[in-house]
Amino acid sequence: MFVEVPGETTTGQFTYKADGHPLCVQLEQSGFFTSCDIKTMDIITPAVDVQFLEKNLISRMICKSDCFRDALHSLLAFPCRSFEVRVTKMAPYFLLRTVCDNVVCEVTVSKDSDFVERFQCDEETTFSYRTVLIRAAMKPLLISEKTSIRIDKHGVMALQFMIRNTENDTVSFVEIYVRALCISSVGKYM
């Protein structure tokens, strides 16, 4: 980490050759050099082809991000490899659950909660997801206002985060797709 030293200058150089090459960052201060290569990818061609079709959608919830963020923080506090998402037509409606080392953590969200803007459940279902993949969603979740959680009949969960830029009053969306580990239960509440 570079700090400002009176009378000293820090120089930096950024280079990028072309598509498929890393972004190279080189910094120098007081004779100390730091070099970093950052892998890049072409965003026009997705790395993974996720088939998420509206006709396969079986549940949808739009909520204030504070609610989903608090729920995930509670679950991610435990060192579990996976967690379960259960969506039902009856209470508790939306349930997040982890089980690890004889500890069970459950977070339920009622469709009538003040945090829920929209709730739709066409088919009761339960899917399990890898915790490490959900951790990747925490960064956009922290700065978002609303979160849309959609699950299709194949267990693909689409997390969409609405992020408002207050400087120019624009809205951006970040979307993350997570595939289920396996189908735990479709069509019944266990």
Side-chain angles (χ1 to χ4, degrees):
M1 177 142 210
F2 291 98
V3 295
E4 186 176 345
V5 178
E8 301 261 343
T9 59
T10 301
T11 58
Q13 179 180 5
F14 293 82
T15 56
Y16 181 69
K17 291 181 183 177
D19 288 347
H21 292 273
L23 170 65
C24 301
V25 180
Q26 297 175 336
L27 299 172
E28 184 271 326
Q29 182 182 32
S30 305
F32 291 96
F33 293 88
T34 301
S35 181
C36 178
D37 290 348
I38 302 169
K39 290 183 181 179
T40 62
M41 63 185 245
D42 184 3
I43 60 170
I44 295 172
T45 307
V48 178
D49 184 22
V50 177
Q51 295 294 321
F52 193 86
L53 304 173
E54 284 295 316
K55 70 178 183 177
N56 293 332
L57 188 69
I58 57 175
S59 65
R60 169 183 286 152
M61 183 172 79
I62 299 174
C63 64
K64 294 179 183 175
S65 290
D66 296 355
C67 172
F68 193 54
R69 182 173 37 245
D70 292 345
L72 284 183
H73 275 293
S74 298
L75 292 174
L76 298 177
F78 298 97
C80 299
R81 292 176 46 171
S82 66
F83 76 96
E84 186 177 277
V85 176
R86 182 178 296 163
V87 184
T88 66
K89 296 178 182 182
M90 303 177 304
Y93 301 107
F94 187 79
L95 179 132
L96 300 171
R97 180 178 193 243
T98 59
V99 179
C100 60
D101 298 331
N102 298 323
V103 175
V104 176
C105 179
E106 290 185 348
V107 177
T108 60
V109 179
S110 172
K111 70 176 186 176
D112 302 319
S113 165
D114 291 339
F115 292 105
V116 176
E117 183 177 301
R118 179 178 180 192
F119 180 86
Q120 171 190 340
C121 176
D122 297 335
E123 188 175 322
E124 297 177 359
T125 188
T126 302
F127 290 101
S128 294
Y129 301 92
R130 290 182 54 203
T131 304
V132 69
L133 297 176
I134 297 304
R135 286 186 193 279
M138 290 305 291
K139 287 184 181 179
L141 176 60
L142 288 172
I143 59 173
S144 67
E145 286 183 21
K146 293 183 183 181
T147 301
S148 170
I149 305 156
R150 296 173 293 155
I151 301 175
D152 75 4
K153 67 182 182 181
H154 304 292
V156 176
M157 181 168 52
L159 301 170
Q160 185 182 67
F161 306 103
M162 185 183 91
I163 301 168
R164 183 172 309 279
N165 182 343
T166 56
E167 290 179 10
N168 59 9
D169 199 34
T170 58
V171 174
S172 299
F173 293 92
V174 173
E175 197 160 41
I176 296 175
Y177 294 94
V178 184
R179 287 196 172 161
L181 289 173
C182 61
I183 299 174
S184 302
S185 168
V186 175
K188 66 179 185 177
Y189 181 74
M190 298 191 327

